[in-house]
Amino acid sequence: MNAIEQKPQESLQESLQQVQRLIARHKLVEGLVHKQDMPKHDLVETLVHRQNLVELQHKLDLLHPADIAHILEALPLDERLLVWDLVKAERDGDILLEVSDAVRETLLAHMDSDEILAAAEQLDADEIADLAPDLPQAVVHELMDSLDKEERAQVQSALSYDEHQVGGIMDFEMVTIRDDVSLEVVLRYLRRFEELPNHTDKLFVVDKSDILKGILPLKRLLVNDPDMMVVDIMAQDVVTFRPEEDAGDAAQAFERYDLISAPVVDKQGKLIGRLTVDMMVDIIREDAENEMLNLAGLREDEDLFSSVWASAKNRWPWLAINICTAFVASRVIGAFENTISSLVALSTLMTIVAGIGGNTGNQTSTLIIRGLALNQINASNARRLIIKELGIALLNGLVWGSVMGLIAWLLYKQVSLGLVMMAAMVLNFQVAALVGIFVPLTMHKMGRDPAFGSSVLLTATTDSMGFFIFLGLATAFLL
Amino acid sequence: MNAIEQKPQESLQESLQQVQRLIARHKLVEGLVHKQDMPKHDLVETLVHRQNLVELQHKLDLLHPADIAHILEALPLDERLLVWDLVKAERDGDILLEVSDAVRETLLAHMDSDEILAAAEQLDADEIADLAPDLPQAVVHELMDSLDKEERAQVQSALSYDEHQVGGIMDFEMVTIRDDVSLEVVLRYLRRFEELPNHTDKLFVVDKSDILKGILPLKRLLVNDPDMMVVDIMAQDVVTFRPEEDAGDAAQAFERYDLISAPVVDKQGKLIGRLTVDMMVDIIREDAENEMLNLAGLREDEDLFSSVWASAKNRWPWLAINICTAFVASRVIGAFENTISSLVALSTLMTIVAGIGGNTGNQTSTLIIRGLALNQINASNARRLIIKELGIALLNGLVWGSVMGLIAWLLYKQVSLGLVMMAAMVLNFQVAALVGIFVPLTMHKMGRDPAFGSSVLLTATTDSMGFFIFLGLATAFLL
C-alpha cells in the first residue's frame, strides 16, 4: 500500500519558485540562442532549450488548477503567457475560473476564439456564465449555440442576474428525489450515478412540479434504517435562498449557519439552483479585499503586474479627489496667511492638529464600517454609538491635547499658544468622531458601500476643519 | 405536508429590531414601576412587566444560537446582559462560541462559576479548548476534572497549540474505518451511529495504529457497489495538515482546493484530528477584519459598546505613535521657519505635497500587503514590482505635480514657486512608492503582519519627507 501522498499546499511556495527558476533558465538559453542568430547546427543549445520547456510543462501538469492560477497571478505578463501556453488546453477552463478578473483579462486577450471555445466547452453552465462577461460577444454566441437546450436555459438564467446576486453564482448540479420512496430506493438511485456533484451534502426533495418539499442530508440517509421513508426522515426547516437576493448576505448566512450547500427557489417555491460553500468562501474573501482596496482609494482589483499605464489610471480617480480636497484644505490655510506671517510657529503646529484628527477619525469610521458590514448597527443603537464615540473623542482630545499643548508651550514659551493648541485638538477630535460616524452611516443609507470614499471624505474634513479651528482660535486669541 | 419554513436569515435584521422593541418596552414599564416605588398592589403593571420578558424569552427560544450571538453583539451592555439572562442555560455554550472575543468577555464576567461550568459541559473537547483561555483558572480546573480521560487528553492537546495553529482549531469528531472491509460493512457500521459529526463529507481510513491510509468520500461510498472493498475505492492523494501548521495557511488551502473537511496527522502519519470548513470560513473572515483594524490603528477587535475607557485605551498605542510621528514632521517644518516667514505661501502648499504623498503611498502599500497575504510576492518578482511602482509614481508625480505646479503659479504669480511645487511632488511620489513597498516587505521579512503599522510608518515618512523636500527646495531656489 502506498503512503499518503505529499500534500500539495506544502509545496505551493516551492512550486512557484521552481517555476520561476525554470523560466529564468529558459530565458537565459533563449537569450544565448538569439544572440547567435539561431545557428541551426548548434543542436545542444536547442535541445537544452526544449528540455527546459518540457520540464516546465511536466511540472505544470502535476499542479492543481488552483495552484497554477496562483502561480499565474504571481508572474509578470511575459512569463505568465509563457506558462499559460504550456498548460494543457483541457485545463484552461478550470484555471480561468480560479484567477482574478484582472489576470483573466490578460490571459483571454492572448487566446484566439477557438482556444476560448475549447476551454469554455469543458465547463458547466454556471461556470460558463461566470466567464461570459469577459469573453468577446462572437465567442459567447458561438458558445451558446454549442450547448444543449437545458444548458442554454441555465446559462441564460445565470446571466440574467449580476454576480452580486444569488442567481448569478448558483449552480445547477442538484440531486433531487421524491418524498414517497424509501431510503433503500434512494441508495439504489444514487448508485446509478457516475459520481455525485461536488459539495453534495444533501439531496433535495421535490414534488413532480419541482416544488421543494425538504432536504435529505446524506448524514441522515446514512444513519437511518433503509426501510424508512424519505418523508419521515427529511428536514423541512430548510434555509433557502431567492435568486434575486444579495450574494454577500447569502455568504453571511452560510457562515452563520455553517452550511455546505443550500437550495435556491423561486417565488413559487420551485427549486431552480443550488449554492455551495466554496463559492461563498470566495465571496467572503473578495468582499473583505474590496473593502481594503476601497479604503486605500483603489478603484478595483489590480493585477500585480499590470502595465504602469493601466495601474496609474486605476489610481487616478481617488488621487484626483484627494488633490481637490488637499487644495481646499490648503485654501483654508491661505485665508490665514496674515496670521501665520505674524506667528510662524502656527504653520508648524497646525499640521499636528490636522494629522491626529484624521487618524482618530479613521479609527472611528473603521469600526462603524465593520459594524455596518456585519449588520450590527441600526437606528435603535446608533444614538448610543454616537454618544460613546464622542465620549472617547473628548477623553482622547483632553489627554493628547494636553500633551501637545504642553509641548507647544515648552517649545515656544507661550502659555496662550499651548492653550490654543489644546483647545484646537479637543475640538478637532469631536469633528473627527462625528465625521467618522456620519460619513459611513450616510453612505450606507444611500445604498453605497460605506468603505468607498469614507477615508478621503474624512481626511478632507479633519484637515480643513483642523486648520480652520486652530488658525481661527489663534487669530482670535493670539494676535 | 407542511411548506418549507420561512428561512431564518430573512428576518435576522427584523429579529434584532423586535428584540430591541421588546427591550425598550420592558425598560419603559420598569421605569414606571420604579418611579412609583414598586407599589405591590399595582398588579397590572407587574403583569405587563412580566409579560414583556416572557415574550422576549419566547422570541429568543426560536432563534438560532448564531443569530442570538449576532443580536448580543449589536446591543449595549445593559441590554445585552438582560437578553443573556433570558437565554436558556443549555444554549449558553453554543452562543459563547459564536460571539466575538470582546463580547464573550462581557458575558463571562456576568456569569458565576456554576453557570460557566454548566455551559461548558454542553461542549465538545475542541470547543472547551476554544473557551478555556477566557475562563477563570478555577473553572478550567473544575471543568477538566469533569471530563473523561479521552476528552481531557483532547482538551490538553488542543490547549498545547495556540489559536493560530491547526492544532488549536482542529476537532476530534472523526468517523474512522479500516480498508479491508466492504462498503456494505461501512454502510451497516454507519447505521449504528445516532448521528454523524457535522461536516462529515468523508470517512478516514486508518490501520490499527491509527496511521492514516486514505479517505473515503461519502460521494464515493454512495455511488459504488456495496460489494467493493474500501481499499479499492478510497482516495490516497489526500490533503493533510500538521497540528503545528499556521491556521491561516490551512484556510487558504481549504479555499484553494474547495475542501469541506481534512485530516490532521502527526509526524508519524497518525490521525489526530480533523479540520472543517466552518472554522476556516471564520478564520478567513477574522484575518481580513484584523487586517482592516490594524490598518486603521486599532489594537484589536473592539466591542461596539465597550466602555469609553476601554475603547480609548484600545486606541491609545497607535495614537501615541501618531502623535510622535506628527511631532517629528512638525519639527521638520520648524527647521524651516525662517523660510516660511519670508514666503508664507509655502505653509499653504506644503500640506498638499505631504498629503498626496501619503495617499499614493497607501495605495502602493495596500497592494503589497494584499500580495503578501496571498503569497504572490517573493524575491524573484519583487524587483519587477519595485520598478513598476516607481514607474507609476513617476507618471503620477509628473501629471499631478504639473497640475499643482500650475495652480501654485497662478495663485501666487511666481513661476519658480510652481516649479518647486512640481519637483517636490515628483520626488515625494518616489519616496511614497519606495516606503509603500519596503515597509510591508520588511515587516513581512521580520515575521510580522505587514498591515500592522504600515500605514503609520508610511504617513510619518511621506509627511516628514514631503515637508523636507518642498521646504528644502524652496530654501535653495526661492530665497
Side-chain angles (χ1 to χ4, degrees):
Chain A
M1 156 140 313
N2 291 332
I4 298 291
E5 275 183 32
Q6 177 72 18
K7 85 156 191 283
Q9 84 271 17
E10 257 184 1
S11 53
L12 177 57
Q13 280 293 56
E14 288 155 36
S15 300
L16 173 58
Q17 280 163 21
Q18 278 178 38
V19 169
Q20 285 172 327
R21 264 197 302 275
L22 287 168
I23 292 173
R25 222 196 291 160
H26 162 75
K27 279 177 154 178
L28 188 72
V29 175
E30 204 176 43
L32 289 177
V33 174
H34 272 291
K35 216 180 278 165
Q36 300 169 14
D37 265 336
M38 293 250 205
K40 270 173 200 149
H41 61 273
D42 200 345
L43 263 170
V44 182
E45 258 163 12
T46 321
L47 276 177
V48 171
H49 185 202
R50 197 165 300 153
Q51 179 59 31
N52 275 328
L53 289 182
V54 169
E55 205 177 322
L56 183 52
Q57 185 159 35
H58 179 71
K59 172 82 204 159
L60 293 172
D61 287 348
L62 294 175
L63 290 173
H64 189 283
D67 292 342
I68 298 182
H70 178 96
I71 290 173
L72 289 171
E73 300 266 350
L75 293 177
L77 191 59
D78 56 332
E79 302 183 0
R80 186 184 295 159
L81 295 178
L82 175 73
V83 168
W84 185 232
D85 282 338
L86 291 178
V87 170
K88 288 232 161 64
E90 71 261 27
R91 307 180 77 192
D92 283 1
D94 283 331
I95 296 169
L96 283 175
L97 287 174
E98 296 280 349
V99 295
S100 65
D101 290 353
V103 170
R104 187 186 297 154
E105 269 176 46
T106 68
L107 298 178
L108 287 172
H110 188 65
M111 297 167 79
D112 63 30
S113 307
D114 289 340
E115 285 175 316
I116 297 178
L117 267 178
E121 274 163 10
Q122 312 280 337
L123 302 175
D124 294 324
D126 62 302
E127 296 169 333
I128 292 176
D130 286 347
L131 279 189
D134 290 335
L135 299 178
Q137 272 298 318
V139 176
V140 174
H141 283 303
E142 207 170 329
L143 191 57
M144 291 296 272
D145 289 342
S146 73
L147 299 174
D148 67 30
K149 205 179 137 206
E150 193 195 352
E151 278 183 313
R152 190 154 50 228
Q154 289 172 344
V155 174
Q156 271 157 354
S157 149
L159 284 175
S160 68
Y161 299 98
D162 77 29
E163 56 172 343
H164 303 295
Q165 287 183 305
V166 165
I169 52 167
M170 65 187 182
D171 71 38
F172 305 96
E173 302 174 88
M174 300 161 291
V175 181
T176 57
I177 54 171
R178 290 290 153 77
D179 65 2
D180 56 355
V181 296
S182 70
L183 300 188
E184 179 63 40
V185 172
V186 174
L187 288 169
R188 278 211 308 274
Y189 171 64
L190 293 179
R191 276 183 210 123
R192 283 162 42 194
F193 281 79
E194 259 311 286
E195 62 172 351
L196 297 181
N198 275 328
H199 298 98
T200 298
D201 69 322
K202 52 178 70 92
L203 310 176
F204 300 112
V205 185
V206 294
D207 68 12
K208 59 181 181 301
S209 340
D210 269 343
I211 301 292
L212 185 70
K213 309 300 273 182
I215 52 163
L216 179 64
L218 295 188
K219 281 168 53 177
R220 291 199 193 179
L221 171 64
L222 287 167
V223 298
N224 279 292
D225 192 307
D227 294 333
M228 307 268 295
M229 300 297 283
V230 168
V231 68
D232 298 321
I233 303 296
M234 70 182 193
Q236 285 171 266
D237 54 334
V238 184
V239 180
T240 62
F241 295 90
R242 291 279 173 75
E244 64 275 6
E245 264 182 85
D246 180 65
D249 290 346
Q252 286 192 8
F254 262 71
E255 190 181 347
R256 218 162 37 240
Y257 307 121
D258 294 341
L259 301 173
I260 305 286
S261 72
V264 180
V265 297
D266 67 10
K267 274 195 198 104
Q268 284 74 44
K270 199 176 135 185
L271 179 69
I272 55 171
R274 180 185 78 138
L275 290 180
T276 54
V277 68
D278 54 326
M279 269 288 185
M280 297 298 139
V281 171
D282 291 346
I283 289 174
I284 289 172
R285 164 90 69 190
E286 275 167 26
D287 279 357
E289 265 174 21
N290 284 338
E291 205 148 78
M292 214 176 118
L293 293 174
N294 282 343
L295 275 175
L298 293 159
R299 214 161 39 136
E300 56 184 32
D301 192 19
E302 193 176 295
D303 175 3
L304 267 183
F305 298 97
S306 59
S307 71
V308 167
W309 182 245
S311 294
K313 275 194 303 183
N314 185 29
R315 304 180 192 189
W316 276 1
W318 286 77
L319 275 182
I321 295 172
N322 235 274
I323 292 267
C324 294
T325 60
F327 180 72
V328 170
S330 87
R331 290 329 298 153
V332 173
I333 305 174
F336 291 96
E337 277 180 10
N338 285 335
T339 310
I340 293 175
S341 55
S342 47
L343 186 56
V344 177
L346 298 177
S347 70
T348 311
L349 298 173
M350 69 182 180
T351 58
I352 299 178
V353 177
I356 304 297
N359 189 262
T360 179
N362 260 323
Q363 292 184 329
T364 300
S365 72
T366 301
L367 286 173
I368 301 289
I369 289 169
R370 188 168 141 273
L372 287 170
L374 298 176
N375 284 321
Q376 286 172 354
I377 296 177
N378 62 18
S380 316
N381 59 23
R383 211 172 51 89
R384 298 274 292 245
L385 266 183
I386 295 168
I387 294 171
K388 178 195 154 196
E389 286 297 327
L390 287 178
I392 297 171
L394 185 63
L395 178 60
N396 278 341
L398 285 171
V399 170
W400 300 108
S402 306
V403 171
M404 287 318 300
L406 198 70
I407 291 176
W409 174 21
L410 294 176
L411 267 178
Y412 295 97
K413 320 278 180 230
Q414 202 178 337
V415 183
S416 53
L417 183 59
L419 287 174
V420 163
M421 183 76 191
M422 185 178 115
M425 281 192 62
V426 171
L427 287 175
N428 206 30
F429 267 65
Q430 294 293 310
V431 170
L434 284 174
V435 179
I437 295 170
F438 282 106
V439 168
L441 278 184
T442 311
M443 291 271 189
H444 184 72
K445 241 187 199 157
M446 286 162 54
R448 288 162 163 276
D449 175 2
F452 201 74
S454 279
S455 165
V456 169
L457 273 176
L458 182 95
T459 321
T461 318
T462 50
D463 273 3
S464 298
M465 287 302 291
F467 295 141
F468 177 77
I469 292 170
F470 179 64
L471 296 175
L473 287 176
T475 310
F477 295 106
L478 300 183
L479 298 189
Chain B
M1 157 138 313
N2 291 331
I4 300 291
E5 273 183 34
Q6 176 72 18
K7 86 156 189 284
Q9 82 272 20
E10 259 188 0
S11 52
L12 177 57
Q13 281 291 57
E14 288 155 35
S15 300
L16 172 57
Q17 280 164 20
Q18 278 177 37
V19 169
Q20 285 172 327
R21 263 197 303 276
L22 287 168
I23 292 173
R25 221 197 289 160
H26 163 75
K27 279 177 153 177
L28 189 74
V29 175
E30 204 176 44
L32 289 175
V33 174
H34 272 291
K35 215 178 279 163
Q36 298 169 17
D37 265 334
M38 294 250 206
K40 271 175 199 147
H41 62 272
D42 202 342
L43 263 171
V44 182
E45 260 163 12
T46 321
L47 276 177
V48 171
H49 185 201
R50 194 164 302 153
Q51 179 58 31
N52 275 328
L53 288 182
V54 169
E55 204 177 323
L56 183 51
Q57 185 158 36
H58 179 71
K59 172 81 205 156
L60 293 171
D61 287 347
L62 294 176
L63 290 173
H64 189 282
D67 292 342
I68 297 181
H70 178 96
I71 289 173
L72 289 171
E73 300 265 350
L75 293 176
L77 192 59
D78 56 332
E79 301 182 0
R80 184 185 295 160
L81 294 178
L82 176 73
V83 167
W84 184 234
D85 282 338
L86 291 178
V87 170
K88 288 231 161 66
E90 71 261 25
R91 307 181 77 193
D92 283 1
D94 284 330
I95 296 169
L96 283 174
L97 287 174
E98 296 280 348
V99 294
S100 65
D101 290 354
V103 169
R104 186 187 296 156
E105 270 176 44
T106 67
L107 297 178
L108 287 172
H110 189 64
M111 296 167 78
D112 62 33
S113 309
D114 289 341
E115 285 174 318
I116 297 177
L117 268 179
E121 275 163 9
Q122 311 281 334
L123 302 175
D124 294 324
D126 63 302
E127 296 169 333
I128 291 176
D130 286 347
L131 279 189
D134 290 335
L135 299 179
Q137 272 297 320
V139 175
V140 174
H141 284 303
E142 207 169 330
L143 191 56
M144 292 294 272
D145 289 340
S146 72
L147 299 175
D148 66 32
K149 204 177 138 211
E150 192 194 352
E151 278 182 315
R152 190 156 49 227
Q154 290 172 345
V155 173
Q156 271 157 352
S157 148
L159 283 175
S160 69
Y161 299 98
D162 78 29
E163 55 173 342
H164 303 296
Q165 287 183 304
V166 165
I169 52 168
M170 65 186 183
D171 71 40
F172 305 95
E173 304 173 87
M174 299 160 291
V175 180
T176 56
I177 54 172
R178 292 286 153 79
D179 65 2
D180 56 355
V181 297
S182 70
L183 299 189
E184 178 63 41
V185 171
V186 174
L187 287 170
R188 277 210 311 272
Y189 172 63
L190 292 180
R191 276 184 210 122
R192 282 160 43 192
F193 281 79
E194 256 315 283
E195 61 171 353
L196 297 182
N198 275 327
H199 298 98
T200 299
D201 69 322
K202 51 178 69 92
L203 310 176
F204 300 109
V205 185
V206 294
D207 66 13
K208 59 181 182 299
S209 337
D210 269 345
I211 301 291
L212 185 70
K213 309 301 273 182
I215 52 163
L216 179 63
L218 296 188
K219 281 168 55 179
R220 292 200 193 178
L221 171 64
L222 287 167
V223 298
N224 279 291
D225 192 304
D227 294 332
M228 308 268 291
M229 299 297 282
V230 168
V231 69
D232 298 320
I233 302 295
M234 72 183 192
Q236 285 171 265
D237 54 336
V238 184
V239 180
T240 63
F241 296 90
R242 290 279 174 75
E244 63 276 7
E245 264 182 86
D246 180 66
D249 290 345
Q252 286 191 9
F254 262 71
E255 189 181 347
R256 220 164 34 242
Y257 307 121
D258 294 342
L259 302 173
I260 306 284
S261 72
V264 180
V265 297
D266 67 11
K267 275 194 199 104
Q268 283 73 43
K270 199 176 135 185
L271 179 68
I272 54 171
R274 181 184 76 140
L275 291 179
T276 54
V277 68
D278 53 325
M279 268 290 183
M280 298 298 141
V281 171
D282 291 345
I283 287 173
I284 290 172
R285 163 89 69 193
E286 274 167 28
D287 280 358
E289 265 174 22
N290 284 339
E291 206 148 78
M292 210 175 122
L293 293 175
N294 282 343
L295 274 175
L298 292 159
R299 214 160 40 136
E300 56 185 31
D301 190 20
E302 192 176 296
D303 174 3
L304 266 184
F305 297 98
S306 59
S307 71
V308 166
W309 183 244
S311 293
K313 274 193 304 185
N314 186 28
R315 304 181 192 188
W316 275 1
W318 287 76
L319 274 183
I321 295 172
N322 236 274
I323 291 268
C324 294
T325 60
F327 180 72
V328 170
S330 87
R331 291 328 297 153
V332 172
I333 304 174
F336 292 95
E337 276 180 10
N338 286 333
T339 310
I340 293 176
S341 57
S342 48
L343 187 56
V344 177
L346 297 177
S347 69
T348 312
L349 297 173
M350 68 183 182
T351 58
I352 299 179
V353 177
I356 304 297
N359 189 261
T360 180
N362 260 323
Q363 293 184 330
T364 300
S365 70
T366 301
L367 286 173
I368 302 289
I369 289 168
R370 189 167 141 273
L372 287 170
L374 298 175
N375 284 321
Q376 286 173 353
I377 297 177
N378 63 17
S380 315
N381 59 22
R383 212 174 51 91
R384 298 274 293 243
L385 265 182
I386 295 167
I387 295 170
K388 179 195 152 195
E389 285 298 327
L390 287 178
I392 297 172
L394 185 63
L395 178 60
N396 278 340
L398 286 170
V399 170
W400 300 108
S402 306
V403 171
M404 287 317 301
L406 198 70
I407 291 176
W409 173 21
L410 293 176
L411 268 177
Y412 295 98
K413 319 277 180 232
Q414 202 177 338
V415 183
S416 53
L417 183 60
L419 288 174
V420 164
M421 182 76 191
M422 186 178 113
M425 281 192 62
V426 170
L427 288 174
N428 206 31
F429 266 65
Q430 295 292 311
V431 170
L434 284 174
V435 180
I437 294 171
F438 283 107
V439 168
L441 278 184
T442 311
M443 291 271 189
H444 184 71
K445 241 186 199 156
M446 288 162 52
R448 290 162 162 274
D449 175 2
F452 200 75
S454 279
S455 165
V456 168
L457 273 177
L458 181 96
T459 322
T461 319
T462 50
D463 272 2
S464 298
M465 288 301 291
F467 293 141
F468 177 76
I469 292 169
F470 179 65
L471 295 174
L473 287 176
T475 309
F477 296 105
L478 299 184
L479 296 190

